[in-house]
Amino acid sequence: MLGLLQGFAAGLMLSISFFDLAHNAINSIGFLKGNLWFFGGVVFFGIIANFIPEPTLASSSDVKSKKKNGDQGGKDTIKKHRRQVLYSGIITAIGISLHNFPEGMAVFLGSIKGLRVGLNLALAIALHNIPEGVAVALPIYFATQSKWQAFKLATVSGFAEPLGVVLVAYLFPSSLSPEILEGLLASVGGVMAFLTLHEMLPLAFDYAGQKQAVKAVFFGMAFMSASLYFLEISLPEEMSL
């Protein structure tokens, strides 16, 4: 189940990265600039990940056999798995928090236009945030075995939306460059794509097997794509994320 859910969360992340963040950046600032920002995020996080020592994934069958044999190595391997998944969950929370900034801005601007628009946007984005919450809470819960910790971090990542409203509306009303914002979000997409392929997919393959994990990935991508579409059709024509 962990492998399937991790594959599902990987699909959510890939869909956000390619179909939302990178796609919007390319449409807004051009194909070349959008790709430069995106791969800049990939290279940046790749360099960081290269300096972070990470445990090697062992197969789940090895873990089970070691546990049956009473080998202390089995417990050590499980601890390494949990540290790796915790690291993945924290980075996912950061990436989704940055992704949530423009969504909060959209609700703010929509509410200025009218209460009905603002409420529709708030409802659409709330439903859209459910799979994002899964992507954050799942690895945290597995790593810490604490529902409260998973709930807490997922909730904190959601606070990025009202924080984005405050920052844009009050702190940087005139100095915020739309091109820089789109570029940074494209970089976030690159970070999330690297994280997904480097961390989440190997874990999903290890626990659920390649065939089942790939099915879960595409199911997650389809689910998030449907969520993004619902969010897009809820936006007024003159607004976009």
Side-chain angles (χ1 to χ4, degrees):
M1 181 59 68
L2 171 69
L4 290 175
L5 291 176
Q6 192 76 348
F8 177 78
L12 302 179
M13 295 277 285
L14 289 175
S15 186
I16 291 174
S17 299
F18 292 109
F19 300 152
D20 185 19
L21 297 178
H23 173 75
N24 288 343
I26 289 173
N27 286 341
S28 299
I29 62 179
F31 183 84
L32 178 60
K33 289 183 179 179
N35 275 276
L36 287 176
W37 278 99
F38 179 86
F39 286 104
V42 172
V43 172
F44 173 75
F45 192 75
I47 293 174
I48 292 178
N50 191 48
F51 288 99
I52 299 176
E54 297 181 23
T56 302
L57 282 175
S59 66
S60 55
S61 58
D62 290 342
V63 176
K64 291 178 181 178
S65 63
K66 287 182 179 180
K67 288 179 67 178
K68 289 180 181 179
N69 296 332
D71 192 344
Q72 183 65 29
K75 294 181 179 179
D76 293 339
T77 303
I78 293 174
K79 288 180 180 179
K80 290 180 180 180
H81 275 275
R82 288 180 175 170
R83 282 198 299 269
Q84 184 184 46
V85 175
L86 179 63
Y87 167 76
S88 171
I90 292 173
I91 299 299
T92 302
I94 294 173
I96 287 181
S97 296
L98 295 174
H99 162 77
N100 284 342
F101 277 124
E103 295 178 354
M105 292 162 52
V107 174
F108 174 73
L109 296 174
S111 299
I112 293 177
K113 293 180 176 293
L115 183 60
R116 171 177 287 186
V117 176
L119 287 176
N120 287 338
L121 286 175
L123 176 61
I125 289 177
L127 294 175
H128 165 72
N129 283 346
I130 292 175
E132 295 181 351
V134 172
V136 175
L138 168 69
I140 300 301
Y141 175 65
F142 172 76
T144 64
Q145 299 294 298
S146 169
K147 294 180 179 179
W148 170 242
Q149 293 294 336
F151 173 80
K152 190 163 57 175
L153 192 58
T155 302
V156 169
S157 69
F159 283 147
E161 290 180 11
L163 180 60
V165 173
V166 172
L167 290 176
V168 173
Y170 296 103
L171 299 182
F172 306 105
S174 60
S175 60
L176 185 67
S177 169
E179 181 172 336
I180 295 297
L181 175 62
E182 289 293 343
L184 290 174
L185 290 173
S187 296
V188 171
V191 169
M192 293 171 68
F194 184 93
L195 168 68
T196 302
L197 299 175
H198 187 257
E199 296 287 340
M200 301 174 75
L201 277 184
L203 193 67
F205 286 170
D206 180 60
Y207 277 98
Q210 183 175 349
K211 291 183 179 180
Q212 295 300 320
V214 168
K215 292 177 183 177
V217 168
F218 280 109
F219 184 74
M221 292 183 71
F223 190 88
M224 178 56 78
S225 295
S227 173
L228 290 171
Y229 175 73
F230 178 65
L231 183 61
E232 180 183 357
I233 64 176
S234 301
L235 287 168
E237 292 183 1
E238 63 273 18
M239 294 177 59
S240 65
L241 292 180

